[in-house]
Amino acid sequence: MKLRDTPIQRKLMSVILLTCGIVLSLMCFAYVVLEYVSFRNTAKNNISTLGAVIATNSSAALAFDSQIDAQEVLNALNAEPDIAIAALYDKEKKLFVTYPADTSSQIFPEVRESRYYWFQGGFLEGFEPVLQKNEIQGYLYVKSDLKTMYRQLGYYILVGVALIMMSLLVAFLLSRILQRTISRPILDLKNTAKAISEKHDYSVRATKAGQDEIGELTEAFNSMLSQIQKQNLEIRSFNQTLEQRVKERTIELQNQKDFIETIINSSVDLVIVLDKDLNYLMVNSRIEEYYGKSRREMIGKNIVEVFPHIKENGIMDLLGKALSGEYVYQENYKAPDINKYFETYFIPLKDIHDSVYGVLMVGHDITGIVESREKLEKVNAELLKSNRDLEQFAYVASHDLQEPLRKIQTFTQLMGENLQNETQLKKYHEKIKQSSSRMKQLIQDMLNFSRISNSDDAFVPTDLNEVLENLIIDFELLLREKEAKINHPNLPVIDGIPLQLSQLFSNIINNSIKYTERKPVIDITCARLSPHDMREFPKLNKEMTYYRIDFSDNGIGFEPEYSEQIFNIFQRLHGKQSYSGTGIGLALCKKIVENHHGVIFATGKPGEGATFTIILPGSQS
Amino acid sequence: MLTAFLLCSFLKLDAQTGYASEYQVKAVFLYNFTQFVDWPPRAFEGSYDPIVIGIVGKNPFGPYIEAAVSGERIGSRILRVEYFASARDITNCHILFVGTEDPDEIRRILRVAEQKNILTVGDNPNFVRWGGIIRFYTEENKIRLHINNTAAKAAGLRISSKLLRVAQVS
């Protein structure tokens, strides 16, 4: 941790200890250096004094060439254990005696004539001239070992270090106690400040410890707190006012928004707002009713993401136009997924700079109108057809009904002219009877036909087997007479009007028995219409089940070109002379099948029989 | 000083030959005595009076004595050598080498010297017994000194203890 970041207590102690340590170290260092220097000087003084004494004492020995005496003098150095070696040189600088006596003469240096001492490699050595009344008698050389001195110095250093340690310890203990007078008020102030910043309680005041700078700081801090507290109160009251106003304004805005939203959602039209990238900005609640989609989920999504199919039906072009600033109106749009019709307005939304930032789509549901129009068109078409049928009917009726009437008129006239001829009368009477009977038949058939046209009988599940069986019973006499045979499989139960279905089957079978020259054989087959076969008949609803029933006969057949005509009313392919019939039967069949929402057609060739095929739905719903 | 150097060169020369003559050494010793002996003030008339080394009788030193002292000074005093033929001739001097072999003559000389503050030096084995102060003798090829300190004191001379230490004292 840097000294800058340490707590103030430790900082104070560090400063004190550091100062003490440095000062003490410097002192000890100076003391040791001084000691060292003074030691050296003392050593030099000691050795030179000793040298001077020895030199003085040895002057006579040198002057009078007494080696024994000189040796004795030198041996006195025994008392000084630091003296390693010593020697006396004579006047001619020749080695005279050495100390210790047996020291090799090799290790003694050359004589220096003047008094001189020097330190070298842990030794102090020097020369002292031996004088007697200023007359040089020779030279003394001494060499002192400084080991003792250095040991002493080392001891001093050790003592110094120990003193420093002890002083530092004392300084540490003292500073621990004394720093509190400085750090305690600062720490108190800090703790107060910290507590305030954590609890935001600006009513707390720091306690003042004294009149020093920290006391002044505490005072300044407290006065700052007072100001903060005051300002806080002001800010809070200001905030409250502001909050209140914001709340009121928010409520106001919310009310306005709710009002607008209520209006938009109350609209019967679809209201959609898209941004420039065709993402939903706003949708009114109609969308939920129409599409069952959640408004919330739509907002922000792209229109293509929500309705992928609009890429193909031209809506994108219209949106593009609107985004380029054009007011677009689409008269009729069929929403494919919900089978609804809309007239739609694409209104560009412009900002104050007149640039488009979105599109407002308003879709007005016109399904009712479209449907009623379609119904109207359908009814109209039916009416037109019915009209045509009626015209045809009137024309044919007038023509066909006139024929027996004319016959009756003719034979009545003939009867008037031949009143006496009983034979003739009988013949004419017979003819009139025949014609009137035929007329009755015609009128009956026409009534049947017209009744079916206006039929609104209810559909019920009808067992076709039952219908066929009952017919065979009804036709029993005729069948026996003509020696006719009917082969039929098991037939389904379908939704139908039993009486009409019975009439349908009856007319077809009757037709087959009527138009034949041989013993009639009728083969009935029945199968469920496969989806593949269904494709041949575009009129059929592909989602419903159909049964195909074929009636094949061995009759006279017909030319294939008449396969359509034979179902028209009063259309007869063959002369009345050859075959009886009113020309209404097959038209009636066609009417019944169409009434059951099915298909009827005939195939055949002259002389090879005919096949009547009817296709009927299994159910009517 | 100059003479000291000259003397040194003499001695060195002799040292090279391995032999310094007996009287050569004795001449140096005579000179050396001036440094270890203090004369009473009355021995000199003035502070610049020379120290006189007298040689009575025969001069055995040849030129060495002159060489040993010439140019030397003891304090403010120069050294001078004077020669005396007999006891009667002896005048004021401070060191007197007795070169005479005749014992009577020696005694006579010593009696003259006793009156004055003279350091008497001689070779005669009885020299000290007769009242002389310093006698040269030879021991193990070295010239040794025999000092009669009582006589010296009687002559008012103070001989340095250092000198006494290297000599045989009686």
Side-chain angles (χ1 to χ4, degrees):
Chain A
M1 207 192 297
K2 290 178 182 172
L3 181 64
R4 208 174 48 195
D5 303 330
T6 49
I8 200 152
Q9 278 180 306
R10 270 174 64 187
K11 208 179 281 183
L12 274 171
M13 286 177 64
S14 304
V15 166
I16 291 166
L17 289 181
L18 201 69
T19 311
C20 282
I22 288 171
V23 168
L24 282 171
S25 300
L26 278 175
M27 272 176 61
C28 277
F29 179 71
Y31 158 74
V32 166
V33 167
L34 269 172
E35 205 54 38
Y36 175 72
V37 170
S38 94
F39 253 105
R40 276 165 71 112
N41 282 340
T42 308
K44 211 168 180 176
N45 284 341
N46 285 346
I47 202 94
S48 63
T49 306
L50 187 68
V53 169
I54 298 292
T56 307
N57 281 337
S58 55
S59 60
L62 280 166
F64 299 103
D65 196 22
S66 172
Q67 278 175 326
I68 296 165
D69 188 56
Q71 192 68 60
E72 256 171 44
V73 172
L74 281 188
N75 283 347
L77 288 171
N78 252 331
E80 202 62 55
D82 285 346
I83 301 295
I85 51 170
L88 277 168
Y89 296 73
D90 65 15
K91 224 186 271 185
E92 291 87 44
K93 300 176 183 172
K94 268 166 63 191
L95 206 58
F96 188 63
V97 286
T98 65
Y99 167 83
D102 51 358
T103 312
S104 159
S105 62
Q106 302 295 321
I107 62 167
F108 290 97
E110 230 172 83
V111 169
R112 281 171 176 268
E113 286 180 5
S114 54
R115 189 165 191 242
Y116 184 77
Y117 289 91
W118 69 93
F119 291 94
Q120 194 177 29
F123 291 94
L124 172 61
E125 48 194 321
F127 278 96
E128 186 81 34
V130 179
L131 294 172
Q132 184 64 34
K133 290 195 176 160
N134 284 332
E135 192 65 32
I136 286 178
Q137 303 300 332
Y139 305 92
L140 172 71
Y141 169 77
V142 283
K143 186 174 184 180
S144 170
D145 195 342
L146 295 174
K147 246 188 292 185
T148 319
M149 179 194 120
Y150 284 127
R151 201 179 299 134
Q152 188 78 6
L153 205 63
Y155 171 70
Y156 281 160
I157 289 170
L158 242 133
V159 168
V161 170
L163 271 174
I164 289 173
M165 290 300 163
M166 272 165 62
S167 305
L168 282 178
L169 185 68
V170 171
F172 173 75
L173 294 172
L174 272 177
S175 66
R176 250 166 68 122
I177 297 160
L178 295 178
Q179 53 87 20
R180 283 185 201 150
T181 54
I182 299 170
S183 65
R184 171 83 38 88
I186 293 176
L187 286 179
D188 286 350
L189 195 58
K190 185 206 85 178
N191 288 336
T192 312
K194 206 173 172 189
I196 288 165
S197 78
E198 275 169 5
K199 294 177 187 159
H200 302 290
D201 179 5
Y202 295 101
S203 62
V204 176
R205 291 290 176 275
T207 39
K208 195 173 156 187
Q211 286 296 343
D212 60 354
E213 287 88 336
I214 296 164
E216 280 173 33
L217 184 63
T218 311
E219 221 162 77
F221 179 71
N222 282 342
S223 104
M224 251 160 56
L225 278 178
S226 303
Q227 280 186 30
I228 290 171
Q229 196 179 8
K230 196 174 142 219
Q231 285 174 358
N232 239 13
L233 272 171
E234 280 170 17
I235 289 169
R236 205 168 290 164
S237 82
F238 180 71
N239 261 1
Q240 271 172 356
T241 320
L242 209 65
E243 257 170 42
Q244 186 58 36
R245 279 175 62 185
V246 166
K247 214 176 271 174
E248 283 166 14
R249 190 87 187 101
T250 309
I251 290 167
E252 217 171 282
L253 283 172
Q254 188 61 46
N255 286 343
Q256 277 184 16
K257 198 181 158 228
D258 288 351
F259 178 64
I260 292 168
E261 235 167 59
T262 310
I263 289 173
I264 290 172
N265 284 333
S266 307
S267 163
V268 293
D269 294 338
L270 272 178
V271 180
I272 296 166
V273 180
L274 298 169
D275 69 6
K276 255 164 107 174
D277 302 318
L278 302 179
N279 297 322
Y280 283 99
L281 287 178
M282 199 278 291
V283 188
N284 75 343
S285 57
R286 294 284 154 223
I287 198 95
E288 292 179 346
E289 289 171 27
Y290 280 112
Y291 286 96
K293 288 180 191 293
S294 155
R295 281 198 284 167
R296 209 172 292 249
E297 281 170 21
M298 286 172 76
I299 299 297
K301 281 190 186 158
N302 198 277
I303 188 166
V304 178
E305 193 185 333
V306 180
F307 298 112
H309 62 262
I310 67 146
K311 278 191 281 188
E312 285 141 24
N313 59 14
I315 293 283
M316 293 300 277
D317 292 341
L318 299 175
L319 283 168
K321 270 189 194 170
L323 280 176
S324 66
E326 205 179 310
Y327 185 97
V328 184
Y329 169 63
Q330 190 189 27
E331 197 182 348
N332 188 357
Y333 167 68
K334 188 185 180 193
D337 32 8
I338 54 170
N339 272 319
K340 291 276 181 184
Y341 295 88
F342 294 97
E343 71 175 338
T344 318
Y345 297 88
F346 298 85
I347 302 154
L349 296 173
K350 295 177 182 177
D351 59 15
I352 50 163
H353 307 294
D354 211 32
S355 66
V356 178
Y357 67 84
V359 180
L360 167 66
M361 285 171 71
V362 180
H364 181 61
D365 185 357
I366 52 166
T367 311
I369 298 168
V370 169
E371 274 177 357
S372 56
R373 194 171 63 200
E374 275 177 359
K375 207 178 273 172
L376 213 65
E377 276 167 4
K378 200 175 154 197
V379 169
N380 207 29
E382 273 170 15
L383 267 175
L384 280 174
K385 188 170 174 277
S386 155
N387 231 18
R388 229 176 13 246
D389 284 355
L390 220 65
E391 266 173 29
Q392 196 189 6
F393 183 74
Y395 170 77
V396 173
S398 63
H399 185 269
D400 273 35
L401 281 173
Q402 265 176 9
E403 203 188 59
L405 197 61
R406 204 182 59 234
K407 271 185 183 167
I408 291 168
Q409 275 183 327
T410 308
F411 287 117
T412 318
Q413 202 181 333
L414 283 171
M415 279 176 83
E417 287 168 8
N418 300 294
L419 284 171
Q420 285 76 38
N421 191 342
E422 201 172 321
T423 320
Q424 280 295 358
L425 277 177
K426 265 188 184 166
K427 189 185 159 193
Y428 292 144
H429 175 255
E430 188 58 34
K431 289 279 183 191
I432 289 167
K433 210 171 104 183
Q434 271 179 8
S435 284
S436 66
S437 159
R438 176 158 179 82
M439 204 162 170
K440 190 189 170 207
Q441 181 68 46
L442 266 172
I443 289 166
Q444 185 63 47
D445 281 359
M446 267 160 48
L447 276 174
N448 280 345
F449 184 79
S450 77
R451 205 165 62 221
I452 283 166
S453 295
N454 302 313
S455 168
D456 43 359
D457 288 337
F459 290 93
V460 292
T462 310
D463 187 351
L464 293 180
N465 292 312
E466 206 177 301
V467 172
L468 192 60
E469 294 299 334
N470 287 337
L471 264 181
I472 289 170
I473 294 166
D474 288 350
F475 278 114
E476 203 177 351
L477 279 173
L478 186 62
L479 291 175
R480 198 176 297 161
E481 183 192 325
K482 292 259 183 175
E483 292 178 66
K485 198 179 175 191
I486 296 172
N487 302 317
H488 68 92
N490 195 28
L491 295 174
V493 177
I494 64 163
D495 278 355
I497 304 159
L499 201 68
Q500 287 188 9
L501 289 173
S502 172
Q503 205 159 8
L504 172 66
F505 280 16
S506 146
N507 281 357
I508 292 170
I509 292 167
N510 203 15
N511 205 58
S512 293
I513 295 169
K514 197 185 289 172
Y515 298 102
T516 187
E517 289 158 346
R518 294 177 269 184
K519 290 176 187 169
V521 177
I522 301 167
D523 287 317
I524 301 172
T525 58
C526 177
R528 202 174 144 159
L529 195 66
S530 72
H532 179 263
D533 292 340
M534 216 184 280
R535 259 181 259 159
E536 285 177 46
F537 311 102
K539 274 185 178 175
L540 301 181
N541 187 339
K542 294 187 172 51
E543 276 155 34
M544 289 170 73
T545 315
Y546 288 90
Y547 295 98
R548 176 185 174 134
I549 306 166
D550 291 303
F551 293 81
S552 303
D553 62 36
N554 54 349
I556 55 174
F558 57 88
E559 291 288 345
E561 56 196 280
Y562 297 119
S563 63
E564 293 280 334
Q565 284 183 28
I566 56 172
F567 292 104
N568 287 350
I569 195 165
F570 301 121
Q571 187 72 53
R572 284 173 12 161
L573 303 179
H574 308 283
K576 274 199 294 279
Q577 289 73 24
S578 321
Y579 306 98
S580 65
T582 59
I584 291 176
L586 287 179
L588 194 69
C589 286
K590 194 177 181 195
K591 199 118 202 175
I592 291 167
V593 169
E594 280 175 0
N595 211 24
H596 280 77
H597 308 102
V599 174
I600 184 165
F601 60 93
T603 48
K605 271 184 185 170
E608 288 184 12
T611 301
F612 287 87
T613 304
I614 54 171
I615 297 171
L616 290 171
S619 69
Q620 288 296 329
S621 52
Chain B
M1 280 298 261
L2 187 67
T3 37
F5 274 116
L6 283 171
L7 190 72
C8 283
S9 53
F10 273 126
L11 287 172
K12 245 181 207 157
L13 200 76
D14 293 328
Q16 280 170 349
T17 60
Y19 171 74
S21 81
E22 182 188 341
Y23 280 95
Q24 210 173 339
V25 174
K26 283 179 180 170
V28 174
F29 278 21
L30 274 187
Y31 164 72
N32 282 350
F33 288 148
T34 61
Q35 292 156 29
F36 292 93
V37 177
D38 287 327
W39 279 267
R42 64 172 180 273
F44 299 97
E45 279 171 19
S47 50
Y48 293 96
D49 278 7
I51 295 172
V52 180
I53 297 173
I55 295 166
V56 67
K58 201 179 82 190
N59 176 14
F61 300 107
Y64 295 131
I65 186 69
E66 290 284 354
V69 304
S70 85
E72 291 291 339
R73 274 175 184 276
I74 304 298
S76 57
R77 302 175 199 282
I78 59 161
L79 288 162
R80 209 173 65 207
V81 182
E82 288 192 8
Y83 305 95
F84 309 114
S86 65
R88 248 166 290 143
D89 301 323
I90 293 166
T91 57
N92 197 21
C93 67
H94 301 95
I95 295 171
L96 182 64
F97 182 76
V98 182
T100 316
E101 286 170 7
D102 174 19
D104 295 334
E105 179 60 3
I106 292 170
R107 279 192 210 104
R108 259 197 304 281
I109 289 167
L110 287 174
R111 224 157 294 132
V112 172
E114 272 169 10
Q115 325 282 310
K116 299 165 182 178
N117 310 108
I118 292 172
L119 179 75
T120 50
V121 183
D123 284 328
N124 193 292
N126 295 316
F127 187 71
V128 168
R129 194 147 38 98
W130 289 333
I133 297 172
I134 295 175
R135 177 179 73 96
F136 291 127
Y137 67 98
T138 306
E139 192 180 270
E140 293 170 0
N141 263 337
K142 283 199 164 188
I143 293 159
R144 313 300 296 171
L145 304 174
H146 184 191
I147 295 174
N148 183 352
N149 200 24
T150 319
K153 282 174 179 166
L157 302 174
R158 205 178 63 81
I159 296 174
S160 162
S161 60
K162 293 187 276 185
L163 177 55
L164 293 176
R165 213 169 56 213
V166 301
Q168 180 195 340
V169 181
S170 63

